[in-house]
Amino acid sequence: MKVIRYPERNSWQELIQRPELELSDLETQVEEIIERVSREGDQAVLEYTRRFDGVELNSLEVSKEEIRASSSRVDRSLKDAIDEAHGNIRAFHSSQIQSSKPVETGKGITCWQKLVPVQGVGLYIPGGSAPLFSTVLMLGVPAKLAGCPSVVLCTPPDSEGNIPPSILYVARLLGLDRVFRVGGAQAIAALACGTETIPRVDKIFGPGNQYVTMAKQVVSRDRVAIDMPAGPSELAVLADEGSDPAYVASDLLSQAEHGPDSQVILVTGAEELIHQVEAQLDIQLAGLPRKDVATRALKQSRAILLKDEREMVDFINLYAPEHLSIVTRNYHRLSEQILHAGSVFLGPYTPESAGDYASGTNHTLPTNGWARVYSGVNMDSFYKKITFQEISREGLAGLGKTIMSMAEAEELIAHSNAVAIRLKPPGDE
Amino acid sequence: MKVIRYPERNSWQELIQRPELELSDLETQVEEIIERVSREGDQAVLEYTRRFDGVELNSLEVSKEEIRASSSRVDRSLKDAIDEAHGNIRAFHSSQIQSSKPVETGKGITCWQKLVPVQGVGLYIPGGSAPLFSTVLMLGVPAKLAGCPSVVLCTPPDSEGNIPPSILYVARLLGLDRVFRVGGAQAIAALACGTETIPRVDKIFGPGNQYVTMAKQVVSRDRVAIDMPAGPSELAVLADEGSDPAYVASDLLSQAEHGPDSQVILVTGAEELIHQVEAQLDIQLAGLPRKDVATRALKQSRAILLKDEREMVDFINLYAPEHLSIVTRNYHRLSEQILHAGSVFLGPYTPESAGDYASGTNHTLPTNGWARVYSGVNMDSFYKKITFQEISREGLAGLGKTIMSMAEAEELIAHSNAVAIRLKPPGDE
């Protein structure tokens, strides 16, 4: 880690920079994929799958039978773990379900909101060395709790055209409607445009590589909504001289192993702790299968030594990390001052990996400073709110003058007439 | 209006098309403005104001004194109207304020959401022939209710450099922090990038012309959040033979007068009603100051005759109108089937203009079919939710096996280690 001692405030902006994602080169390429999928449907999807995944598919959709059979290919112990995580995620997300009651804003004027679940939801689960079934839980549980009537999943096939059994197992556990063996920009294009086989959805959720990220960005301009802008994962740890350096190092490493572009930042007022954490990083790194990835991520990560709590809190709020771990002695008090973070982990026994998998909170969170203004995925992500209003004749008689006066001041006379015509005495036409 | 009798379902997709907004030509132009404002700050803003608004400004900010003085330049009757609307908007939006309680998802595992107001809010109010002070109410009331610590407003100056007193009056009534006499893409650029005078905000709200719309779209890619994608305003009216044709015509006209690209659609099963509404449109149009605008909007608008209620509801849900007026006899029953609309107006005495100004609901709503997945502006628009969690040692002992089992199945061993290291017996290092 690069150690930065007592940086001046005017240099902080530079310290919070994320690695630049150079996506603009991809834009033309991805736009072409979207254009072809929108025009040629399944045929284009199959061809891109041949080209990018190196597999000739017989069918885009995973059969019910294949999904059912997945259960026997997942270990009992993993199923038990998934069940417990499922229960916790469900409990936390259920607690977020809102209701809305009519409000009489004035006599005879009733207004209310109606929560309507997003009708077509598309989940994207990336491929890669290991199956990210935990993301199926994180996106599928709230989608089903919200009552979204169609929830489909796209994930890339392996070279044999297969999907990992753990992903199919979770899809079945949650009752997702359909699963398609399609990945990359072509999957996002299919969900946004619809093909003969893959239904067009209203909102696309889920992480992915730079092609997927770019494709989500492009289709969100004019076709569908997306969960949030995506970037490499991040963790900031706020620690003091009482923090356990072994625990801190283990959290930094669990972030660093995600990818070489993962962002890891240690913020503290205790210089000695930085050295202890560095020593622990060396010890713990040695045994990791993803040692190379973590080492590369740590190379561009930073330990920042600051002079007091005020500076530490201000720095974190400027950085707006996706994950924030607070392991100082006074973590409760510090946590109250946090304004910008995706998800916050408090105290010595709350590793970030708990929230990644099983405590109940969602792990789909805003990166790249977007925590300043976006929330992570939560129940709100799967609803929209329609406003309704009903006014009685008496209600309009009471409110009419106000509406007309304002409409006239904005020179919108038809707006005023729509009230006047309703308040005319009967027969006065 | 163009009358379309009993269209086949496979032709509906064409009937719901909105006028194409050709924005791509503007993109380069707007990107240049943003780039210059980000580089040169106030100087660039002043120059664009000279060029586009034809006025040489002494100061970008409207002085406190000027804001205070606005009060004496607004009629008492308009002030009373604004006060009543303010009260209703406040009442409805207050009712939406949520709270969040900690949830113990498992023994020793506590998770909660914290609602944090968006810290920097920028409101954009377009210029034009009449001052849109009602939009200041619609955006400013929830921003202040949410407790957003900085709420600033940009609106273009007239040729003398002045801002309409009604806009300043509402800004003062709501306690907005600062008002700037800047419009167009340069205003959006200033809010997104910050200048010496205008603070950088986290989220930009408000309508505008095509330059403003394009600028909001561009800055939302990598700089700030925006309220929602924007397009020309829309109204669909669902009516039957019992509906009053004069009322229906008055609502259609109040939508049509917004602009020549406004969308107006009448959906009904009653052919006779269409003729009656057309006759009423002719009568009512005659007296309108904005007759030309409304006539142009009506030329491309449609009356669609459908064969039954099922078709009517399905058509509306496919169209997903910004505003929907239901004036059939059974409007309650029909309203329950509406899945996609921004704001719905029920029964004969609920003109759309009530919601535009004073009933309490918000008038900033999704257009162009985005009501399929976006909500209008509401209290949620001014908050983000951060998740927090705290796990006790016992809690982690209980949940640890689950986290480790899932992390190992995803081949993320450092994630598993972060649990294992915390559960080691003391002294076992």
Side-chain angles (χ1 to χ4, degrees):
Chain A
M1 296 182 92
K2 193 169 170 200
V3 181
I4 294 140
R5 301 179 68 253
Y6 306 114
E8 293 294 325
R9 278 189 184 244
N10 60 21
S11 70
W12 287 9
Q13 199 63 47
E14 202 179 313
L15 293 176
I16 65 158
Q17 289 311 309
R18 272 71 169 185
E20 282 271 326
L21 264 187
E22 202 29 272
L23 290 180
S24 57
D25 298 350
L26 300 176
E27 190 165 347
T28 324
Q29 221 177 322
V30 163
E31 277 172 348
E32 192 193 306
I33 294 174
I34 295 167
E35 164 61 21
R36 266 201 66 189
V37 169
S38 89
R39 224 176 37 232
E40 299 169 27
D42 283 351
Q43 210 42 53
V45 174
L46 287 166
E47 199 197 302
Y48 284 122
T49 304
R50 199 179 305 126
R51 196 190 303 174
F52 299 134
D53 301 298
V55 52
E56 185 82 49
L57 295 178
N58 294 317
S59 69
L60 289 171
E61 185 164 4
V62 180
S63 70
K64 298 282 169 229
E65 207 169 301
E66 207 174 330
I67 295 175
R68 211 176 308 115
S70 66
S71 181
S72 64
R73 298 172 54 215
V74 176
D75 285 348
R76 185 69 260 164
S77 64
L78 181 57
K79 284 186 199 170
D80 289 344
I82 288 172
D83 279 350
E84 182 170 18
H86 181 202
N88 291 351
I89 296 165
R90 214 181 139 85
F92 184 55
H93 287 77
S94 300
S95 78
Q96 299 165 19
I97 295 177
Q98 298 169 37
S99 60
S100 172
K101 271 187 299 206
V103 181
E104 198 171 9
T105 55
K107 205 171 151 41
I109 308 164
T110 311
C111 304
W112 65 98
Q113 291 182 313
K114 176 175 161 183
L115 273 77
V116 179
V118 174
Q119 300 289 294
V121 170
L123 310 184
Y124 183 81
I125 305 296
S129 55
L132 298 180
F133 58 88
S134 64
T135 303
V136 187
L137 279 171
M138 292 294 174
L139 301 175
V141 168
K144 295 305 283 187
L145 270 178
C148 301
S150 167
V151 184
V152 305
L153 187 154
C154 286
T155 191
D158 66 15
S159 58
E160 317 273 85
N162 293 321
I163 303 297
S166 57
I167 286 181
L168 298 179
Y169 174 76
V170 176
R172 185 174 178 226
L173 180 71
L174 303 184
L176 303 194
D177 296 284
R178 299 171 74 185
V179 178
F180 302 99
R181 42 183 128 242
V182 186
Q186 62 273 26
I188 303 303
L191 291 169
C193 310
T195 70
E196 301 90 319
T197 306
I198 302 173
R200 180 190 181 284
V201 302
D202 296 308
K203 191 166 182 178
I204 300 175
F205 295 80
N209 63 19
Q210 52 187 352
Y211 291 91
V212 169
T213 298
M214 188 65 200
K216 282 174 67 184
Q217 200 172 303
V218 171
V219 297
S220 74
R221 288 179 203 155
D222 54 4
R223 295 183 186 268
V224 295
I226 61 171
D227 46 1
M228 72 188 78
S233 194
E234 306 155 356
L235 168 70
V237 177
L238 202 53
D240 65 10
E241 55 287 346
S243 307
D244 187 317
Y247 297 2
V248 171
S250 75
D251 288 332
L252 295 174
L253 285 173
S254 71
Q255 188 58 35
E257 76 172 341
H258 273 297
D261 53 3
S262 289
Q263 282 267 304
V264 171
I265 289 193
L266 170 61
V267 175
T268 186
E271 191 156 15
E272 182 56 23
L273 181 80
I274 295 178
H275 304 307
Q276 293 167 333
V277 167
E278 286 186 314
Q280 274 294 328
L281 285 172
D282 286 341
I283 296 170
Q284 294 182 31
L285 252 176
L288 286 184
R290 294 171 68 87
K291 184 182 168 179
D292 288 354
V293 166
T295 305
R296 283 168 64 197
L298 286 175
K299 258 200 193 113
Q300 30 168 357
S301 71
R302 294 156 184 154
I304 297 174
L305 184 66
L306 294 172
K307 65 172 190 277
D308 56 26
E309 272 181 16
R310 184 73 266 140
E311 280 204 347
M312 291 196 266
V313 167
D314 289 350
F315 186 89
I316 292 296
N317 281 331
L318 188 72
Y319 180 55
E322 180 192 17
H323 304 97
L324 171 64
S325 178
I326 311 185
V327 292
T328 55
R329 274 162 306 194
N330 59 353
Y331 60 84
H332 276 132
R333 190 160 55 76
L334 282 188
S335 76
E336 282 161 18
Q337 302 172 60
I338 297 304
L339 294 172
H340 304 298
S343 198
V344 184
F345 301 79
L346 298 177
Y349 295 104
T350 315
E352 190 251 67
S353 52
D356 282 344
Y357 289 111
S359 60
T361 58
N362 210 289
H363 77 198
T364 305
L365 297 166
T367 55
N368 202 18
W370 283 114
R372 284 195 69 81
V373 64
Y374 285 103
S375 313
V377 164
N378 63 72
M379 287 304 291
D380 299 342
S381 316
F382 298 90
Y383 289 106
K384 64 195 171 168
K385 293 176 175 175
I386 305 180
T387 49
F388 283 76
Q389 64 198 284
E390 182 172 5
I391 304 178
S392 66
R393 192 177 202 293
E394 295 63 43
L396 191 64
L399 191 65
K401 201 176 140 203
T402 283
I403 301 169
M404 291 190 283
S405 168
M406 291 174 76
E408 282 155 27
E410 289 193 353
E411 296 172 21
L412 293 170
I413 304 308
H415 283 65
S416 173
N417 286 352
V419 175
I421 208 163
R422 285 166 161 95
L423 295 178
K424 269 189 204 160
D428 177 14
E429 302 275 323
Chain B
M1 297 182 96
K2 194 170 171 197
V3 181
I4 293 141
R5 302 180 66 255
Y6 305 113
E8 294 292 327
R9 276 187 186 247
N10 60 22
S11 70
W12 288 9
Q13 198 63 47
E14 203 178 312
L15 293 175
I16 64 158
Q17 288 311 310
R18 272 71 169 184
E20 283 269 327
L21 264 187
E22 202 30 271
L23 290 180
S24 56
D25 298 350
L26 300 176
E27 191 165 348
T28 325
Q29 222 176 320
V30 164
E31 278 172 347
E32 192 192 308
I33 294 174
I34 295 166
E35 164 59 20
R36 267 201 66 188
V37 169
S38 89
R39 223 175 38 230
E40 300 170 25
D42 284 351
Q43 211 40 54
V45 174
L46 287 166
E47 199 198 302
Y48 285 122
T49 304
R50 199 179 305 128
R51 197 191 303 174
F52 299 134
D53 302 297
V55 52
E56 185 81 49
L57 295 178
N58 293 317
S59 70
L60 289 171
E61 184 162 4
V62 180
S63 70
K64 297 284 168 225
E65 208 171 301
E66 207 174 330
I67 294 176
R68 211 176 308 116
S70 65
S71 182
S72 64
R73 298 171 57 212
V74 177
D75 285 347
R76 184 70 260 165
S77 64
L78 182 56
K79 284 186 200 172
D80 289 344
I82 288 171
D83 279 349
E84 184 171 17
H86 181 201
N88 291 349
I89 296 165
R90 213 180 141 83
F92 185 55
H93 287 76
S94 299
S95 78
Q96 300 166 19
I97 295 177
Q98 298 168 38
S99 60
S100 173
K101 271 187 297 205
V103 181
E104 196 171 11
T105 55
K107 205 170 151 43
I109 309 165
T110 310
C111 304
W112 66 98
Q113 291 181 314
K114 176 174 161 182
L115 273 78
V116 179
V118 174
Q119 300 290 294
V121 170
L123 310 183
Y124 183 81
I125 305 296
S129 54
L132 298 179
F133 59 87
S134 63
T135 304
V136 187
L137 279 172
M138 293 295 175
L139 301 175
V141 168
K144 294 305 283 187
L145 271 178
C148 301
S150 168
V151 184
V152 305
L153 186 154
C154 285
T155 191
D158 67 15
S159 58
E160 316 273 86
N162 294 322
I163 303 298
S166 56
I167 286 182
L168 297 180
Y169 174 76
V170 176
R172 184 172 177 228
L173 180 71
L174 304 184
L176 304 194
D177 297 284
R178 300 171 74 184
V179 178
F180 302 98
R181 41 184 129 243
V182 186
Q186 62 273 25
I188 304 303
L191 292 169
C193 310
T195 70
E196 300 88 320
T197 306
I198 303 173
R200 182 190 181 283
V201 302
D202 295 309
K203 191 166 182 178
I204 299 174
F205 294 81
N209 63 19
Q210 52 187 352
Y211 291 90
V212 169
T213 299
M214 188 65 198
K216 282 174 68 185
Q217 201 171 301
V218 171
V219 297
S220 74
R221 288 180 202 154
D222 53 4
R223 293 180 188 268
V224 295
I226 60 171
D227 47 0
M228 70 187 78
S233 194
E234 307 157 354
L235 169 70
V237 177
L238 203 54
D240 65 10
E241 54 287 347
S243 307
D244 187 316
Y247 297 1
V248 171
S250 76
D251 288 331
L252 295 174
L253 285 172
S254 72
Q255 188 59 35
E257 77 171 341
H258 273 298
D261 54 2
S262 288
Q263 283 265 303
V264 170
I265 289 193
L266 171 61
V267 175
T268 186
E271 191 156 13
E272 182 56 23
L273 180 81
I274 295 177
H275 304 308
Q276 294 166 333
V277 168
E278 285 185 315
Q280 274 294 329
L281 284 173
D282 286 341
I283 297 171
Q284 295 182 29
L285 251 177
L288 285 185
R290 294 171 67 85
K291 183 181 169 180
D292 288 353
V293 166
T295 306
R296 282 168 67 196
L298 286 174
K299 259 201 191 111
Q300 30 168 358
S301 71
R302 296 155 181 155
I304 297 175
L305 185 65
L306 294 173
K307 64 171 192 278
D308 55 27
E309 271 180 17
R310 183 73 265 141
E311 279 203 348
M312 291 194 264
V313 167
D314 288 351
F315 186 88
I316 292 295
N317 281 331
L318 189 70
Y319 180 53
E322 180 193 17
H323 304 98
L324 170 64
S325 179
I326 311 185
V327 292
T328 55
R329 275 163 305 197
N330 58 355
Y331 60 85
H332 276 134
R333 193 159 53 76
L334 282 188
S335 76
E336 283 160 18
Q337 302 170 61
I338 298 303
L339 294 172
H340 303 299
S343 198
V344 184
F345 301 79
L346 296 178
Y349 295 105
T350 315
E352 190 252 73
S353 52
D356 282 344
Y357 289 111
S359 60
T361 59
N362 210 290
H363 78 197
T364 304
L365 297 165
T367 55
N368 201 19
W370 283 115
R372 285 195 68 80
V373 63
Y374 285 102
S375 313
V377 164
N378 63 71
M379 286 304 291
D380 298 343
S381 316
F382 298 90
Y383 289 107
K384 64 193 171 171
K385 292 175 176 176
I386 305 179
T387 49
F388 283 78
Q389 64 199 284
E390 181 171 5
I391 305 179
S392 66
R393 193 177 201 294
E394 295 63 42
L396 190 64
L399 190 65
K401 201 177 139 202
T402 283
I403 302 169
M404 291 192 282
S405 168
M406 292 174 75
E408 281 155 28
E410 290 192 354
E411 297 173 19
L412 293 171
I413 303 309
H415 282 66
S416 172
N417 286 354
V419 176
I421 207 163
R422 285 165 162 96
L423 295 177
K424 269 189 206 162
D428 178 16
E429 301 275 320

